[in-house]
Amino acid sequence: MASDSGDGHATLKRCLDVLRDARNDSEQFAALLLVTKAVRAGEVDAKTRRQIFDAIGFTFPTRLLTSRQPPAGCPPNTFRAFGLTLLACFCTDPELAGHSQILNKIPTFNDILLSPCDPDSTSMVDDVYQCLSAVLATARGPRELVTKGTVSALCQAYLNGGHGSDCALKLLVGLLAVAEAKCWQRDAPQLLAVLSKLSGDFLKAEDMTKFELCEVLPHFIPLSPPLTENSQGSECLCRLYKGLADVLGSKLSQSQRDPALKLAAGLVQACGSEWIPAGSAGSKFLALLVNLACVEVRLTLEEPGPMETEGKKEVVTACYVLMEMGIQECLRGENPLLENVQKIQLMRIMEEAFGAVIFYLREVKQEELQDPFIFASVRVLGAWMAEETSSLKQEICELLPFLVDYARKLFKEGSPAVSLPQAELVSTKGSALLQDALRFLLPGFCHLTAEDRPRDILISEGAPALLCEYFLQQWEVLTSKSTAPAPLTSTEMSLQTLCGIFLNLVVTAPDLVRRDKTFSSLVDMLLNSLPLLLPQKHHLVLAANVATLGLMMARILTGSAALQGKKSAKEFFGAAIRFLSQAHMAQADPSNDGLVLAVSPTYMSAWDDIQELWFLGMQALAGCIPLFPWLPQAILQAQWLQGLSQLLSRVAPSSVDFELVTAFQAVLVELARASEQCRDVILSHHGTDWASLYGMAALEQCLAEQGGASSTPGCERQNE
């Protein structure tokens, strides 16, 4: 055998010499025939492959691909077939597969896939798939394949069902795994046609093919554009729903159920619950889906030993996606898919599953913290903590030290998520996001800081300092982005939630705010950020949070160096005054010729989100006026006092509700008490008259005094 192998290599070497030195086509062709036979027979090792390339390079296969005159008595594509065989051979070398001479032949490969395939052409098709697979594995390959039209060619090849169509599907799966967004952006109609066929096959299949398709289908469900945008996509979703209802409604083995749960999770990640129809059948299916997910989580996480395979982590992470949908659907008020009885049952079942998640996290060892499955578990628990504040409170309190430590560790390290295919379902498919655990824990922390015991635990674990650092980092992220209006980002949402947490701490733990230097850094940040935010109307809700938090903190940190009449403090208060003063305006009353008080048009769309903050900000500003002697003058310079006095004298008192009257009066009383000039402005605008009309007794009493307000009982602050 060794002798035969040696003879084969010697013959191959002679053929290479002939190829290199051939004087005519017949000599070249004879040598080429022997070389390609050896290549096809798999008799070429890496060293010999390189020798072939060194002997002929890319020039010779390129000539063969473009040649239209086959040797006498040979099929028409003989030369092209030989050229493809050589290229397929070269492509087994990763360095050659990424060479520009291979990449520029991608259109030729596409053409061959789309050409009619007779029995003599099957080897050409096989070689093309080998070349394309090798190109896909290179750094530049996926981008080149997408831009040169390979996605469309593969879709057509698969839909035609000819030789190698299974390879076309496999290559499409590979391309979508690394370049999903670009593929759908360029070739959505073709990919949708493939999904249409796959979903149809999935619905009709009654054998193991159904479960094999469960593994393939998630790759063809795009996050964008949504499948619900057109009728063909909606039809695909309908078939997938029916097929999954069929599968999950049957008695299944573990190996059959797992891919079905993964497919359902992929659909939820892409479309939420929109693919599940309203009505009795849909609600039963949704309840079944969440129930199965909860059972799977409990069975896996309540086991005393470590999970046996990575595959279990993948399916449990998919179950987390389904549980998160379950939380959202149980809380959905408008057009709910679930009936109230189903919601109550599911919340109880999910509570047990989240108990298992907490149990699992309590057992996590330090060396396991980088496991993406831990991150997925923390994220889904964060979703539960954000919405369900009453159940599992004791268990969550006991887990808080771990959650804070875990979030701190990831934040400090800024570690990228390592590869876990199903974990991407709970972030963004196809990307390695930073594992930002805090982002998902913030809503839960916001609830917990309003309660004594969990707040004390969070404080003792150093959460406030961590959250301040996170606020600074998120602010940098926000300000580094474009100032153009955009949908609410996770960064902006995180900053708003952080403001809510700090407001809770300011109200419930003012001593902590006074003594912890972290909050001095935070107030510096707030002073500088509000003047930048306020002019950008698409950031109005965040500006409202920052203004209110800054005013609340200013009352506590009066002695802070940053607040001692510095430029940043005056600019902050100027911006806060603008935010508060521009919220209301006079508007014509359609029922008569008078004027009524109304929310300003620029505030209207966000008013539901900022109304409570506005009232809290007014209360905080009233508290700041006696603490900062220069503040009444700043309010006068801003023309707010004059504008407010005019506004109240013009509109119908019946259009100003009691809560607004109280908010305005609190500020007006403090201004009248702190500044004679302010009191004179109010009086000059008939303040005594409209104070009486609005029932502002405290303001009336202040204005009636002729001496110093500080010695007058009527001018004392209402909260004293």
Side-chain angles (χ1 to χ4, degrees):
M1 291 294 290
S3 175
D4 290 344
S5 176
D7 290 346
H9 279 92
T11 303
L12 193 56
K13 187 177 184 307
R14 285 196 299 275
C15 292
L16 291 173
D17 291 338
V18 172
L19 271 175
R20 193 182 298 112
D21 304 326
R23 298 172 191 170
N24 55 57
D25 287 346
S26 60
E27 287 182 3
Q28 268 192 340
F29 179 69
L32 177 63
L33 190 60
L34 288 172
V35 170
T36 50
K37 280 184 177 178
V39 168
R40 285 179 178 169
E43 296 171 2
V44 179
D45 56 23
K47 181 181 176 183
T48 310
R49 179 176 60 237
R50 198 71 199 199
Q51 287 176 338
I52 296 172
F53 177 73
D54 291 340
I56 62 176
F58 285 115
T59 306
F60 191 56
T62 301
R63 277 178 53 206
L64 292 171
L65 283 178
T66 57
S67 175
R68 299 297 176 188
Q69 284 297 107
C74 292
N77 289 319
T78 300
F79 279 146
R80 295 187 87 194
F82 286 159
L84 284 169
T85 298
L86 290 171
L87 291 177
C89 170
F90 296 161
C91 280
T92 56
D93 182 332
E95 186 180 337
L96 296 179
H99 195 284
S100 59
Q101 287 285 346
I102 293 290
L103 299 180
N104 65 23
K105 291 177 178 58
I106 290 173
T108 301
F109 298 153
N110 298 341
D111 290 342
I112 291 168
L113 291 184
L114 296 175
S115 300
C117 180
D118 55 50
D120 295 328
S121 304
T122 56
S123 65
M124 290 173 58
V125 173
D126 292 337
D127 287 336
V128 164
Y129 282 125
Q130 186 174 330
C131 291
L132 292 174
S133 298
V135 169
L136 177 61
T138 65
R140 287 176 57 196
R143 183 176 65 252
E144 294 287 330
L145 291 171
V146 173
T147 57
K148 288 183 165 68
T150 301
V151 174
S152 177
L154 290 171
C155 289
Q156 197 57 53
Y158 173 69
L159 293 170
N160 289 343
H163 178 76
S165 59
D166 54 335
C167 294
L169 186 64
K170 187 176 178 182
L171 270 168
L172 280 171
V173 168
L175 259 174
L176 288 166
V178 295
E180 179 189 277
K182 287 184 174 64
C183 290
W184 278 95
Q185 187 178 356
R186 185 183 172 95
D187 295 296
Q190 292 83 357
L191 287 166
L192 204 52
V194 172
L195 177 59
S196 187
K197 174 173 167 43
L198 289 171
S199 61
D201 292 346
F202 176 63
L203 179 59
K204 288 183 285 188
E206 294 183 357
D207 54 12
M208 285 305 293
T209 307
K210 210 175 192 77
F211 303 102
E212 292 166 6
L213 285 169
C214 280
E215 301 277 12
V216 173
L217 277 161
H219 296 281
F220 289 87
I221 299 167
L223 292 178
S224 179
L227 287 173
T228 49
E229 276 188 358
N230 62 61
S231 58
Q232 191 177 8
S234 297
E235 288 168 8
C236 291
L237 291 174
C238 183
R239 288 192 287 267
L240 292 172
Y241 159 71
K242 289 178 179 176
L244 273 172
D246 214 17
V247 169
L248 294 173
S250 308
K251 189 173 183 179
L252 302 173
S253 66
Q254 187 78 48
S255 62
Q256 293 171 327
R257 184 167 56 250
D258 288 357
L261 290 172
K262 289 181 188 178
L263 173 56
L267 288 165
V268 169
Q269 184 68 11
C271 309
S273 60
E274 288 185 56
W275 58 286
I276 301 173
S280 175
S283 68
K284 285 178 182 176
F285 173 75
L286 194 153
L288 172 65
L289 204 53
V290 178
N291 202 342
L292 287 172
C294 290
V295 170
E296 187 63 40
V297 167
R298 287 191 65 190
L299 285 174
T300 306
L301 300 188
E302 289 177 355
E303 289 293 324
M307 284 177 283
E308 295 175 4
T309 64
E310 289 301 304
K312 289 306 293 179
K313 290 184 178 180
E314 288 185 21
V315 74
V316 172
T317 307
C319 291
Y320 287 165
V321 176
L322 301 175
M323 286 164 59
E324 203 166 331
M325 176 190 66
I327 296 170
Q328 292 163 359
E329 289 303 319
C330 285
L331 296 170
R332 183 168 158 186
E334 193 175 338
N335 301 321
L337 284 173
L338 296 169
E339 297 174 2
N340 286 334
V341 174
Q342 291 172 313
K343 290 180 180 181
I344 294 168
Q345 290 172 340
L346 279 185
M347 288 301 283
R348 188 176 67 249
I349 293 164
M350 285 193 288
E351 182 177 340
E352 293 170 350
F354 280 107
V357 174
I358 293 171
F359 172 80
Y360 170 76
L361 289 174
R362 287 174 64 180
E363 302 298 312
V364 168
K365 297 179 177 61
Q366 196 68 23
E367 61 270 18
E368 297 173 330
L369 291 181
Q370 289 297 329
D371 187 343
F373 182 70
I374 308 298
F375 180 77
S377 302
V378 169
R379 176 195 158 141
V380 76
L381 181 60
W384 175 258
M385 290 163 57
E387 305 296 351
E388 179 49 65
T389 57
S390 59
S391 70
L392 298 172
K393 191 172 292 183
Q394 172 73 19
E395 293 85 348
I396 286 171
C397 282
E398 290 171 1
L399 190 67
L400 280 178
F402 166 80
L403 293 176
V404 174
D405 182 61
Y406 177 73
R408 181 187 292 112
K409 185 177 179 65
L410 292 190
F411 175 66
K412 298 288 187 186
E413 292 178 358
S415 59
V418 292
S419 175
L420 177 67
Q422 204 65 25
E424 291 169 354
L425 280 170
V426 292
S427 54
T428 301
K429 283 202 297 188
S431 68
L433 298 177
L434 287 181
Q435 290 188 310
D436 185 358
L438 270 173
R439 171 188 161 196
F440 301 108
L441 291 171
L442 290 178
F445 284 179
C446 195
H447 292 310
L448 294 172
T449 48
E451 301 179 31
D452 292 342
R453 184 171 174 237
R455 180 176 62 251
D456 291 344
I457 296 171
L458 287 168
I459 291 171
S460 67
E461 294 297 325
L466 172 62
L467 294 173
C468 282
E469 283 187 68
Y470 187 66
F471 187 97
L472 297 177
Q473 184 231 47
Q474 291 292 293
W475 173 253
E476 287 179 15
V477 172
L478 183 76
T479 52
S480 67
K481 294 179 179 177
S482 167
T483 56
L488 184 65
T489 62
S490 61
T491 300
E492 189 163 356
M493 197 57 160
S494 293
L495 286 166
Q496 290 178 24
T497 310
L498 282 161
C499 288
I501 293 172
F502 292 133
L503 277 171
N504 285 341
L505 293 174
V506 167
V507 172
T508 60
D511 289 340
L512 171 74
V513 177
R514 287 189 189 95
R515 70 172 184 268
D516 194 327
K517 292 181 180 178
T518 299
F519 289 94
S520 296
S521 301
L522 178 62
V523 86
D524 286 348
M525 178 75 221
L526 297 173
L527 295 182
N528 291 311
S529 60
L530 184 62
L532 296 173
L533 269 180
L534 197 61
Q536 303 173 40
K537 293 305 179 187
H538 56 288
H539 289 315
L540 183 58
V541 176
L542 180 57
N545 277 275
V546 170
T548 305
L549 177 60
L551 290 168
M552 296 283 284
M553 291 184 71
R555 290 198 308 183
I556 296 174
L557 299 174
T558 313
S560 168
L563 288 161
Q564 297 307 305
K566 286 189 176 179
K567 182 183 176 185
S568 61
K570 291 188 175 181
E571 288 180 348
F572 167 81
F573 275 100
I577 290 164
R578 286 196 301 279
F579 162 67
L580 295 170
S581 67
Q582 294 171 1
H584 297 91
M585 58 173 285
Q587 180 178 289
D589 186 349
S591 63
N592 56 50
D593 295 334
L595 296 172
V596 294
L597 191 77
V599 174
S600 299
T602 51
Y603 283 58
M604 186 62 76
S605 62
W607 191 242
D608 286 346
D609 294 320
I610 66 175
Q611 181 176 3
E612 189 176 341
L613 290 165
W614 186 87
F615 281 107
L616 198 55
M618 288 287 285
Q619 181 185 332
L621 179 65
C624 287
I625 289 169
L627 301 176
F628 300 97
W630 46 266
L631 193 48
Q633 191 60 37
I635 291 173
L636 284 171
Q637 287 174 351
Q639 298 289 308
W640 183 25
L641 183 56
Q642 299 89 321
L644 179 57
S645 298
Q646 289 175 356
L647 181 67
L648 292 174
S649 64
R650 293 172 65 207
V651 300
S654 59
S655 68
V656 187
D657 63 35
F658 178 75
E659 197 175 6
L660 264 176
V661 170
T662 304
F664 288 140
Q665 179 174 229
V667 172
L668 290 165
V669 165
E670 291 299 348
L671 287 171
R673 181 178 184 272
S675 163
E676 188 174 343
Q677 191 179 356
C678 287
R679 187 161 58 254
D680 289 344
V681 168
I682 297 171
L683 287 168
S684 70
H685 286 83
H686 311 289
T688 305
D689 295 337
W690 51 256
S692 175
L693 281 172
Y694 287 101
M696 295 182 179
L699 180 60
E700 279 188 89
Q701 203 164 355
C702 253
L703 296 175
E705 298 298 331
Q706 298 300 313
S710 58
S711 62
T712 307
C715 279
E716 290 182 5
R717 288 192 294 275
Q718 292 173 313
N719 61 350
E720 289 184 345

